[in-house]
Amino acid sequence: MVETGNITRASERMNVAQTALGQQIRQLEQGLGVQLLERHSRGISLTEPGEVLYRHALAILSSIDLARQEVIASGAQRREVVNLGVTPSIQALIGPELLLDARAEIPHFSFRIVEELSFILVDALLRGELDLALAYEFQKRPEVSAVPLMEEELLFVASAGSCVLEEPISFEAAIRTNLALVSDRDIIWRMVHDEARRQGIPVNIAFEVQSMPAIKTLVMRGAATSIVPYGVVAEEIQQGLVVACPICEPTLKRTLFLNRKTGASSFIQEKSLFAFLDKMIDRLTERMGPYGRRIGRDAFQQRGEIKP
């Protein structure tokens, strides 16, 4: 109104009826106990109290606009950082996509990927170094919330020129070869030894190596065999550097869990984060072919939290 100098033009610009606008001005003047406008034949002009109110109104509107811009900018720039632990087999199959697809699909999140063996990831989770861990290690304990996501079949691997490979190979035949396995804290080690005890047969451990690259090198050179997940040797199988086959009598399977520390703070946009991870687990299962089977499809609730 001050800018137009006329109530009629002001009401048209504001798309407000002239009578309603005039009534609002009168109510404001009555509330303040002062006259804000002088009405004359040329239109209107501000009184001295009107000038004071006008200056304050301009300052308030400017502050509101600045606040709006800063809030929008802050929301656009803020990215939640997720410290995510993955195993070497997961990293090999979908690791790059976790980073690239996340940037495109959930740009408000930024992943920091830590690649380690399952038991190391769980230890890091308990120390607060990770927010989430996709790990095969799981023992029921109150400080960890875990949900099953996928079941994976383990494979027996040997050098490309090996003559010990059958299709499939029995568990007993596999553990009588020169095995290279990780330490006794690793889930595969425990699975192998637990089953061997049930059958009453010894396990022939030729090499104990806490390094998957070192184990693969031993296998490729023909110095050892191993029992590993498909993802760890997928590239070597495709290149013809190693051969692999399923294990029978019995089949060895392990379960992938999404682990989170009990009582951990929720992410601001938790639902979209877990929807993305759910999609990645589907892709991981697909990449494993016949060796992976998706389970726990209800692991993520509608609000995006992990079920206890």
Side-chain angles (χ1 to χ4, degrees):
M1 187 183 304
V2 175
E3 295 171 356
T4 63
N6 183 284
I7 292 181
T8 301
R9 288 195 294 270
S11 65
E12 291 174 352
R13 179 182 293 186
M14 298 170 65
N15 197 26
V16 176
Q18 184 174 336
T19 54
L21 181 58
Q23 184 179 2
Q24 290 178 8
I25 295 171
R26 285 191 294 274
Q27 289 176 348
L28 181 59
E29 290 177 328
Q30 290 172 4
L32 294 173
V34 295
Q35 183 180 350
L36 300 173
L37 300 175
E38 288 182 348
R39 296 159 180 85
H40 44 73
S41 59
R42 297 186 305 278
I44 59 171
S45 60
L46 291 171
T47 62
E48 185 176 348
E51 290 278 2
V52 174
L53 180 60
Y54 180 62
R55 289 197 302 271
H56 281 287
L58 289 178
I60 291 170
L61 290 173
S62 177
S63 296
I64 291 174
D65 186 60
L66 179 60
R68 178 178 176 275
Q69 292 177 18
E70 289 182 356
V71 168
I72 292 173
S74 175
Q77 294 173 4
R78 182 176 181 185
R79 302 175 72 189
E80 290 191 84
V81 177
V82 182
N83 296 296
L84 175 67
V86 300
T87 63
S89 61
I90 295 174
Q91 176 66 19
L93 291 177
I94 63 167
E97 290 165 272
L98 271 171
L99 296 173
L100 295 174
D101 288 9
R103 178 175 294 181
E105 296 181 29
I106 49 171
H108 40 281
F109 283 102
S110 175
F111 280 119
R112 289 177 181 163
I113 302 295
V114 176
E115 177 190 346
E116 280 292 357
L117 298 171
S118 289
F119 68 89
I120 297 176
L121 293 178
V122 174
D123 286 346
L125 182 74
L126 292 173
R127 291 194 301 268
E129 298 169 6
L130 295 176
D131 300 306
L132 302 169
L134 290 169
Y136 295 87
E137 174 83 10
F138 178 67
Q139 299 173 352
K140 288 187 178 180
R141 39 188 156 186
E143 64 268 35
V144 176
S145 174
V147 290
L149 301 177
M150 185 192 70
E151 189 176 67
E152 177 185 10
E153 181 178 349
L154 299 175
L155 300 176
F156 176 79
V157 293
S159 66
S162 173
C163 60
V164 301
L165 200 61
E166 303 172 16
E167 184 65 40
I169 189 171
S170 70
F171 174 79
E172 181 175 359
I175 66 171
R176 291 188 185 280
T177 62
N178 294 324
L179 287 175
L181 295 179
V182 186
S183 72
D184 57 1
R185 290 197 63 195
D186 183 59
I187 187 171
I188 295 178
W189 172 290
R190 295 204 309 271
M191 290 173 64
V192 168
H193 283 77
D194 289 348
E195 181 57 34
R197 278 192 292 272
R198 279 192 288 270
Q199 295 193 26
I201 50 180
V203 182
N204 182 31
I205 303 294
F207 301 96
E208 183 177 331
V209 188
Q210 194 164 300
S211 165
M212 291 311 304
I215 288 177
K216 288 195 293 184
T217 298
L218 289 170
V219 172
M220 286 187 288
R221 291 182 178 180
T225 59
S226 192
I227 296 173
V228 298
Y230 169 73
V232 168
V233 291
E235 185 175 346
E236 287 75 14
I237 292 172
Q238 293 172 2
Q239 294 176 357
L241 299 175
V242 301
V243 289
C245 71
I247 301 168
C248 63
E249 302 173 2
T251 299
L252 294 182
K253 295 180 179 180
R254 63 179 187 170
T255 301
L256 175 67
F257 291 88
L258 177 60
N259 299 272
R260 188 179 194 183
K261 197 169 182 180
T262 303
S265 300
S266 297
F267 296 99
I268 295 174
Q269 302 188 57
E270 190 155 297
K271 184 175 181 179
S272 60
L273 170 63
F274 287 125
F276 174 76
L277 290 177
D278 203 31
K279 177 182 175 181
M280 287 295 102
I281 297 303
D282 279 340
R283 188 171 302 174
L284 176 64
T285 307
E286 180 183 344
R287 296 280 167 83
M288 288 183 179
Y291 309 118
R293 182 176 69 88
R294 186 68 199 269
I295 58 175
R297 283 201 172 273
D298 62 343
F300 303 105
Q301 294 173 298
Q302 290 300 314
R303 64 178 183 271
E305 296 173 353
I306 303 179
K307 281 187 177 180

